[in-house]
Amino acid sequence: MEGRKQQVAERLKDVLILLLTLSALWLAAQTPLAAPLGGLFQEEGRQTVTAPGQEVSWGTGALPMAMVVNLPGGTNPSLTIPEGSESVRRGLQYDQAACQELFQRVAGPLVEALSSAGAPERITRREWEETLTGALGVYMDFQGRIPMPVLAGWLSVRDTQLTATVRRLVLTVWEDGVDLYYRDEEDGGYYRCRSEVADPFSLAEALSGLTGNGAFYAFESELYQSLDPDTLFFAETPALAVYSAANPMSAGQETLQSLVQDLGFSLSSTSFYSTDEQVARSGDDSVRLSDRGWSSTSMRAARGEGCSPC
């Protein structure tokens, strides 16, 4: 009997540890903040897209969380754009599928620009804003600090001369090449690198056919001067995902039934009832389970009674 008591207690501990671990992981998975961190703890799946003359693949960690396509000279009377703006923009945020689809379009030109970028040239904040609003191109916000060599590795770029740590990138068409703009998160400066190898026609073609949705930046309106100037706004409020969490122990008797079965109890000879806890009793043995996940076993033997809390 003593051996059976010890065996049941040990099995109960193992099962409860497993249940609590799974509960913690399940609750963490429901949190939006966990999404960007997922790639740090698991092998990243790779995406592949065929660009003109090359095949580009990248890990899921390389996907921007927000993107904006700037279309100079576009007009659409139905869109609400800040007064004085001469371009139409299509912004994407809180939509991973849409960002991934757009990123597939521009991944080839981005890889070309990273692998053939010239020496960085420091520019002013004004020039940065003029690029965001006046040039044909795409803005990418990874919403996290990424060293350029790491980004290049995600995109399978064999070599890059860039070493800055970035969050925001801009890729624009420039005469016979492509300009790569970025903000260095270490020194706060803005930089431009020119690539005469990257094909501007490939980038222009990748952005063709897109229409605006009224996206604009905080620096374009006096109403948002207290915010980060590159904060993205839309003419219509985006539909945000709704998350919920539930306590796995709230299933009550069903959870307890599963637990006692794992401990070797026979359901046909076990009775269940509830007080301030869920209780399962089989002969002189009992298992109690609280809503907070605490459990205890009680077994009556010839030598007395034992209790093993977990």
Side-chain angles (χ1 to χ4, degrees), residues 200-253:
F201 299 103
S202 295
L203 177 57
E205 182 180 0
L207 303 179
S208 64
L210 297 175
T211 58
N213 62 358
F216 64 96
Y217 299 98
F219 67 77
E220 295 182 272
S221 173
E222 296 181 355
L223 298 175
Y224 307 110
Q225 291 184 350
S226 61
L227 299 179
D228 183 318
D230 293 333
T231 301
L232 189 60
F233 288 91
F234 297 85
E236 297 181 1
T237 303
L240 303 183
V242 178
Y243 295 88
S244 61
N247 181 359
M249 297 302 175
S250 63
Q253 184 172 313

Side-chain angles (χ1 to χ4, degrees), residues 34-234:
L37 300 178
L40 299 178
F41 300 101
Q42 62 184 3
E43 182 178 357
E44 295 179 324
R46 302 198 69 80
Q47 306 289 330
T48 303
V49 62
T50 301
Q54 65 176 323
E55 183 178 86
V56 181
S57 64
W58 65 88
T60 55
L63 184 66
M65 302 296 290
M67 300 182 72
V68 183
V69 174
N70 193 61
L71 307 168
T75 58
N76 187 333
S78 66
L79 294 178
T80 302
I81 352 177
E83 184 178 354
S85 177
E86 298 180 353
S87 63
V88 167
R89 272 167 242 124
R90 181 169 190 81
L92 301 173
Q93 195 168 13
Y94 310 122
D95 189 338
Q96 187 172 6
C99 283
Q100 180 169 323
E101 181 181 355
L102 178 56
F103 191 67
Q104 286 178 336
R105 292 188 177 210
V106 301
L110 176 59
V111 167
E112 291 179 343
L114 285 173
S115 59
S116 60
E121 172 191 355
R122 188 152 187 162
I123 62 173
T124 65
R125 170 69 199 185
R126 181 180 180 84
E127 290 176 301
W128 170 265
E129 293 180 358
E130 290 175 347
T131 299
L132 292 180
T133 59
L136 174 61
V138 58
Y139 162 88
M140 291 165 272
D141 185 349
F142 293 89
Q143 296 189 356
R145 297 159 61 96
I146 304 177
M148 282 285 205
V150 173
L151 178 61
W154 273 337
L155 294 168
S156 299
V157 176
R158 294 183 179 180
D159 188 29
T160 182
Q161 302 301 316
L162 304 177
T163 59
T165 297
V166 301
R167 166 181 167 173
R168 299 178 172 101
L169 295 175
V170 185
L171 207 60
T172 67
V173 172
W174 166 76
E175 297 180 0
D176 295 330
V178 171
D179 276 349
L180 175 65
Y181 294 80
Y182 63 86
R183 180 182 186 274
D184 189 328
E185 296 297 318
E186 297 293 340
D187 64 17
Y190 298 90
Y191 295 86
R192 173 181 60 210
C193 305
R194 290 198 154 158
S195 169
E196 297 182 359
V197 176
D199 183 7
F201 299 103
S202 295
L203 177 57
E205 182 180 0
L207 303 179
S208 64
L210 297 175
T211 58
N213 62 358
F216 64 96
Y217 299 98
F219 67 77
E220 295 182 272
S221 173
E222 296 181 355
L223 298 175
Y224 307 110
Q225 291 184 350
S226 61
L227 299 179
D228 183 318
D230 293 333
T231 301
L232 189 60
F233 288 91
F234 297 85

Side-chain angles (χ1 to χ4, degrees), residues 227-309:
L227 299 179
D228 183 318
D230 293 333
T231 301
L232 189 60
F233 288 91
F234 297 85
E236 297 181 1
T237 303
L240 303 183
V242 178
Y243 295 88
S244 61
N247 181 359
M249 297 302 175
S250 63
Q253 184 172 313
E254 293 181 8
T255 302
L256 186 56
Q257 286 179 344
S258 175
L259 176 60
V260 296
Q261 280 185 297
D262 291 336
L263 294 173
F265 282 62
S266 171
L267 291 182
S268 60
S269 60
T270 302
S271 60
F272 297 88
Y273 60 93
S274 61
T275 54
D276 55 338
E277 300 176 308
Q278 296 292 328
V279 183
R281 179 173 293 278
S282 178
D284 293 332
D285 301 333
S286 66
V287 178
R288 297 175 178 271
L289 181 64
S290 73
D291 289 339
R292 299 183 61 186
W294 289 94
S295 177
S296 64
T297 61
S298 178
M299 299 181 183
R300 187 180 300 277
R303 296 181 181 179
E305 186 175 295
C307 182
S308 302

Side-chain angles (χ1 to χ4, degrees), residues 11-48:
R11 293 176 67 182
L12 177 62
K13 291 178 182 179
D14 293 340
V15 171
L16 287 176
I17 290 173
L18 177 61
L19 284 174
L20 292 173
T21 301
L22 292 175
S23 299
L25 292 174
W26 182 85
L27 289 172
Q30 307 308 304
T31 307
L33 295 177
L37 300 178
L40 299 178
F41 300 101
Q42 62 184 3
E43 182 178 357
E44 295 179 324
R46 302 198 69 80
Q47 306 289 330
T48 303

